[in-house]
Amino acid sequence: MTDPKELRAQGATPLVEMEDISISFGGIKAVDGVSVDLHPGEVVGLLGHNGAGKSTLIKVLSGAYQMDAGEIRINGNKVEITNPRDARSHNIETIYQTLALADNLDAASNLFLGRELVTPMGLVNDAAMEAECRKIMGRLNPNFRKFNVPVSALSGGQRQSVAIARAVYFNAKILIMDEPTAALGPHETQMVAELIQQLKAAGIGIFLIDHDVHAVMELCDRASVMKNGQLVGTVDIDDVTDDDLLSMIILGKKPEKAAA
Amino acid sequence: MTATTHQPIDSQNKRGLFQQLELDMRLLGMIGAFIILCIGFNILTDGRFLTPRNIFNLTIQTVSVAIMASGMVFVIVTRHIDLSVGALLATCSAVMAMLQTEILPDMLGMGLNHPLTWIITVAVGLGVGTLIGAFHGWMIGYLTIPAFIVTLGGFLVWRNVAWYLTSGQTKGPLDSTFMMFGGTNGTLGTTFSWVLGLLAAGAALFALYNSRRSKLAHDFPVKPLWAEAVMGAVISGSILGFVWILNSYTIPTRRLQRMFEAKGEVMPEGLVVGYGLPISVLILIAVAVVMTLVARRTRLGRYIFATGGNPDAAELSGINTRKLTVKIFALMGFLCALSAVVASARLANHSNDIGTLDELRVIAAAVIGGTALSGGFGTIYGAILGALIMQSLQSGMAMVGVDAPFQNIVVGSVLVAAVFIDIVYRKRLGAK
Ligand SMILES: Nc1ncnc2c1ncn2[C@@H]1O[C@H](COP(=O)(O)OP(=O)(O)OP(=O)(O)O)[C@@H](O)[C@H]1O
Ligand SMILES: [Mg+2]
């Protein structure tokens, strides 16, 4: 896989381009003319204070919200994403900040929700789904044991593991992770970091929303910072320090030297 | 991270008797309450409650509400409600009554008791019910009008559409074939009932065996063999016992004589013929099996429960929750129409007040059967058992001679108490 940095330098067509995206809720502009892009094998961090509009922006890409204005291109082609099914058909998978799990169902049912494995007769194949679920959880969170209880009986971190499993199981090309490690312990967080490296190496493009600047510095190739619904700027991680990013988040100004 | 080992599976030790049987404690509680109720009434009525005759009657009286209750489970599981089922039943019944007593015989000149009458009638009735239900679902799903309002409106509309269609008159007698769906007029006879009972018991055992085999194939824990055997024995025993009881209810001699006279034959002396399984009960069993299959083993069912558990998550998982709402209410409408067939056939005519208060009985049956109004939880067998408990309570009190107002006071109180017990039970279990 070619290095995403080289791809960008060559002017290759990005995997995802979100251009001039705007969306407002009852007069409040939650996202205001924001443009971001993503190349294969690249991790782009989205940073910003609470309520900056990060989740809203990526929900436009995942089909949860419909934008008021703007354009989304995938591999250079304009696409219409009007619901989550459209997003899935473009191989976009999302880990939502709220996790979006059906609390009354078990881990396997949540993992396959909307894409159940079925028997030749068209009936859902719970045994096969549970077996697959055990496999993927074995990779993501080897301590996970609670396969036969509703996910409401799981801890916050265990629930998060289920949400992560759901996003990575189905061969995503574009992965959106909205604070994927918010509820995880240090060991599990480290495993997610390794997972991101693996997915990146496999050529998957990842939007990563994270409040931890250190994690962003470590995992991302670029970072886009938002404030009050607007884009402050996008920087190359190699060109900035932790403090540069922090001041972008807090002051809402792009450092002079680091134009990406 | 790179290891792809399977997750270890919990070992089976240190588990209690009930856990080993993997029985649903809630179901056991309901069955226990039902048995106590039956024995209590049996004592109070000097043994008249648990006679084959009364059990037969109780069963056919329960069918109509139980059929609708199974649909109400899906409605309530998805956090909706349907207040219009009784009225919808009345409209379907009115349409079918007009078809078979006036439109087909007179206007289309098919005459009375034409062999096609019942098929056309039932098909049109089921179609009307499904369409009205789908229309409700469309208003709820796509126009986002709350189900409570749509079906409250529907309650007034359909009750009075039924009235308008029949000018408020009782329509009957219904088509003779159609009436076979009602109960006493349509039973399988003892031999067929035994055959069916044996087949059902065999199917149940096969299903148990299959589920065990599929678990073993995936290395999942299974119950000990003795527990499996006990389950199999209890299930097949109950099925055959039920058939045996219904078969022991014999057709009264007078009636049998008349049946022979109608055929121009003479009844042999001392002939005893059992009714066997009523067709309406077979319909209920079929509905229960299909609805349970839908709930547990189809995508539709999975989506219904997921939507009930977290509507946003369902939507974000790519489930079209609006279309799902249309399907659920269309199914409810279909089941109302099916209940209309059974209910009007049992009464042998369509009366203007058919299905009155059924919406409350149906909701109560589903709720007593463990369907949570907060959504996401409910079982078909629970709702049907709930309907049976309600009906037993009502008939039992009537047999004991409890005054009518007190009957309803007791039924209402039992509903509230049952839900309270359920809340306490769920809390202690730590479930929501
Ligand atoms: N469904 C909604 N209806 C109304 N307002 C909304 C909705 N979703 C988000 N908003 C508003 O849009 C703005 C951006 O919210 P968003 O969730 O995108 O923030 P965020 O950057 O993800 O914040 P956080 O770091 O806290 O997750 C906020 O002011 C929020 O109140
Ligand atoms: Mg957010």
Side-chain angles (χ1 to χ4, degrees):
Chain A
M1 201 72 210
T2 331
D3 181 33
K5 199 165 179 176
E6 271 171 41
L7 280 176
R8 264 187 292 127
Q10 292 162 5
T13 316
L15 181 59
V16 182
E17 295 162 272
M18 298 182 76
E19 201 175 291
D20 248 342
I21 307 289
S22 294
I23 176 169
S24 45
F25 297 108
I28 300 166
K29 285 217 158 187
V31 175
D32 185 5
V34 173
S35 301
V36 289
D37 62 0
L38 179 67
H39 287 266
E42 187 181 37
V43 183
V44 171
L46 283 178
L47 292 165
H49 58 87
N50 290 128
K54 308 177 296 288
S55 296
T56 308
L57 178 68
I58 57 95
K59 278 185 178 174
V60 168
L61 183 59
S62 74
Y65 291 154
Q66 281 195 265
M67 58 195 171
D68 300 329
E71 187 172 309
I72 299 175
R73 286 188 295 275
I74 291 177
N75 294 319
N77 303 318
K78 185 175 189 299
V79 294
E80 298 288 337
I81 297 178
T82 54
N83 58 47
R85 291 180 292 285
D86 292 342
R88 280 188 172 183
S89 72
H90 292 295
N91 294 308
I92 300 170
E93 293 291 336
T94 312
I95 300 163
Y96 291 97
Q97 193 170 7
T98 53
L99 305 183
L101 300 173
D103 284 331
N104 54 337
L105 303 183
D106 61 15
S109 302
N110 270 290
L111 174 60
F112 286 94
L113 191 56
R115 294 178 281 209
E116 288 73 14
L117 300 179
V118 291
T119 61
M121 280 176 65
L123 301 175
V124 293
N125 192 341
D126 281 311
M129 290 195 284
E130 189 181 330
E132 286 298 305
C133 185
R134 283 177 190 270
K135 265 192 230 168
I136 181 129
M137 292 312 282
R139 284 176 52 200
L140 292 179
N141 186 347
N143 296 321
F144 191 91
R145 291 279 183 282
K146 299 194 161 178
F147 289 97
N148 291 311
V149 295
V151 295
S152 60
L154 305 185
S155 76
Q158 290 166 336
R159 290 160 57 83
Q160 198 139 28
S161 304
V162 175
I164 295 172
R166 176 166 64 180
V168 300
Y169 180 82
F170 292 95
N171 302 323
K173 291 205 174 69
I174 300 156
L175 189 59
I176 300 167
M177 306 174 107
D178 196 346
E179 306 194 22
T181 57
L184 297 186
H187 181 226
E188 288 81 1
T189 301
Q190 186 53 36
M191 295 191 76
V192 171
E194 284 171 29
L195 175 71
I196 290 175
Q197 305 285 11
Q198 277 179 21
L199 296 169
K200 180 174 152 64
I204 293 165
I206 301 174
F207 278 121
L208 175 66
I209 299 177
D210 206 320
H211 284 290
D212 180 356
V213 173
H214 296 287
V216 170
M217 291 294 292
E218 198 178 302
L219 293 169
C220 297
D221 300 290
R222 285 184 295 151
S224 295
V225 179
M226 291 178 69
K227 185 171 177 136
N228 298 332
Q230 292 179 324
L231 186 69
V232 174
T234 302
V235 293
D236 211 314
I237 289 295
D238 296 339
D239 303 339
V240 292
T241 62
D242 295 21
D243 288 340
D244 290 334
L245 280 180
L246 276 174
S247 71
M248 279 177 82
I249 296 167
I250 296 164
L251 301 174
K253 277 200 298 246
K254 200 168 169 179
E256 300 294 318
K257 53 179 172 134
Chain B
M1 185 101 264
T2 46
T4 51
T5 47
H6 287 249
Q7 288 290 289
I9 287 159
D10 305 327
S11 61
Q12 276 252 298
N13 43 24
K14 280 201 301 183
R15 300 211 303 167
L17 177 71
F18 285 122
Q19 276 158 324
Q20 292 210 6
L21 282 165
E22 289 179 24
L23 281 180
D24 175 355
M25 286 306 287
R26 203 176 180 296
L27 175 66
L28 278 185
M30 278 181 68
I31 293 177
F34 180 57
I35 291 175
I36 291 172
L37 194 74
C38 289
I39 294 177
F41 277 131
N42 202 41
I43 293 170
L44 288 175
T45 56
D46 301 320
R48 276 184 299 132
F49 191 78
L50 288 181
T51 55
R53 170 162 185 251
N54 195 47
I55 292 175
F56 184 95
N57 285 332
L58 219 103
T59 317
I60 59 174
Q61 284 162 1
T62 306
V63 171
S64 165
V65 165
I67 288 176
M68 291 190 282
S70 71
M72 189 63 80
V73 171
F74 287 177
V75 171
I76 296 180
V77 160
T78 48
R79 307 186 180 187
H80 295 302
I81 194 78
D82 194 335
L83 302 174
S84 69
V85 294
L88 190 48
L89 180 149
T91 288
C92 295
S93 170
V95 167
M96 290 189 290
M98 292 309 285
L99 261 176
Q100 60 188 309
T101 59
E102 291 179 15
I103 298 175
L104 292 177
D106 302 339
M107 292 164 71
L108 294 182
M110 287 167 64
L112 284 176
N113 297 333
H114 189 281
L116 284 179
T117 301
W118 77 272
I119 302 187
I120 298 174
T121 303
V122 170
V124 171
L126 294 177
V128 167
T130 310
L131 276 180
I132 294 175
F135 179 56
H136 286 171
W138 174 76
M139 286 193 281
I140 296 159
Y142 286 88
L143 305 186
T144 63
I145 309 171
F148 188 94
I149 299 301
V150 169
T151 59
L152 182 63
F155 168 75
L156 290 170
V157 170
W158 304 119
R159 173 59 58 196
N160 290 287
V161 166
W163 188 345
Y164 175 76
L165 285 176
T166 57
S167 318
Q169 291 168 341
T170 297
K171 294 285 167 190
L174 302 178
D175 179 77
S176 59
T177 320
F178 184 87
M179 284 200 290
M180 291 179 63
F181 292 106
T184 31
N185 294 322
T187 55
L188 287 188
T190 44
T191 317
F192 264 125
S193 300
W194 278 124
V195 171
L196 224 83
L198 286 171
L199 284 178
L205 292 179
F206 181 71
L208 274 181
Y209 164 78
N210 239 357
S211 115
R212 183 183 177 88
R213 212 188 44 176
S214 129
K215 278 185 183 167
L216 283 174
H218 285 93
D219 288 330
F220 293 162
V222 288
K223 289 176 239 187
L225 211 54
W226 67 262
E228 211 90 66
V230 168
M231 280 296 285
V234 168
I235 292 174
S236 46
S238 321
I239 293 174
L240 294 175
F242 180 64
V243 172
W244 176 67
I245 291 173
L246 292 189
N247 275 347
S248 331
Y249 177 34
T250 52
I251 305 180
T253 319
R254 273 297 309 144
R255 190 183 160 122
L256 206 56
Q257 260 168 358
R258 260 181 281 134
M259 285 163 72
F260 271 91
E261 280 160 19
K263 282 191 281 184
E265 293 167 27
V266 180
M267 189 181 100
E269 198 61 35
L271 180 74
V272 178
V273 180
Y275 275 109
L277 286 174
I279 292 174
S280 62
V281 172
L282 289 186
I283 293 177
L284 173 61
I285 292 170
V287 166
V289 169
V290 171
M291 292 290 281
T292 303
L293 201 70
V294 168
R296 296 197 169 171
R297 299 296 311 276
T298 68
R299 285 194 164 145
L300 176 65
R302 192 55 50 87
Y303 297 167
I304 287 170
F305 281 85
T307 304
N310 185 346
D312 295 333
E315 186 71 43
L316 292 175
S317 302
I319 295 168
N320 190 338
T321 49
R322 298 171 164 213
K323 206 161 115 194
L324 187 71
T325 307
V326 175
K327 285 186 194 166
I328 292 164
F329 278 87
L331 183 60
M332 186 73 246
F334 174 87
L335 292 171
C336 289
L338 196 58
S339 285
V341 173
V342 172
S344 61
R346 185 168 79 84
L347 302 171
N349 55 47
H350 164 87
S351 62
N352 203 35
D353 67 346
I354 193 168
T356 303
L357 284 185
D358 269 6
E359 42 285 320
L360 301 185
R361 293 198 191 104
V362 168
I363 293 169
V367 169
I368 288 180
T371 311
L373 284 167
S374 52
F377 298 95
T379 56
I380 304 296
Y381 60 72
I384 292 173
L385 198 52
L388 195 58
I389 289 177
M390 297 262 301
Q391 186 61 47
S392 310
L393 205 58
Q394 198 109 43
S395 331
M397 283 190 294
M399 284 177 82
V400 172
V402 177
D403 290 339
F406 281 110
Q407 291 182 20
N408 285 332
I409 290 171
V410 169
V411 171
S413 313
V414 165
L415 171 64
V416 176
V419 172
F420 176 67
I421 292 170
D422 198 41
I423 290 170
V424 173
Y425 168 80
R426 281 181 210 268
K427 267 201 192 125
R428 288 182 63 181
L429 223 73
K432 288 211 293 185

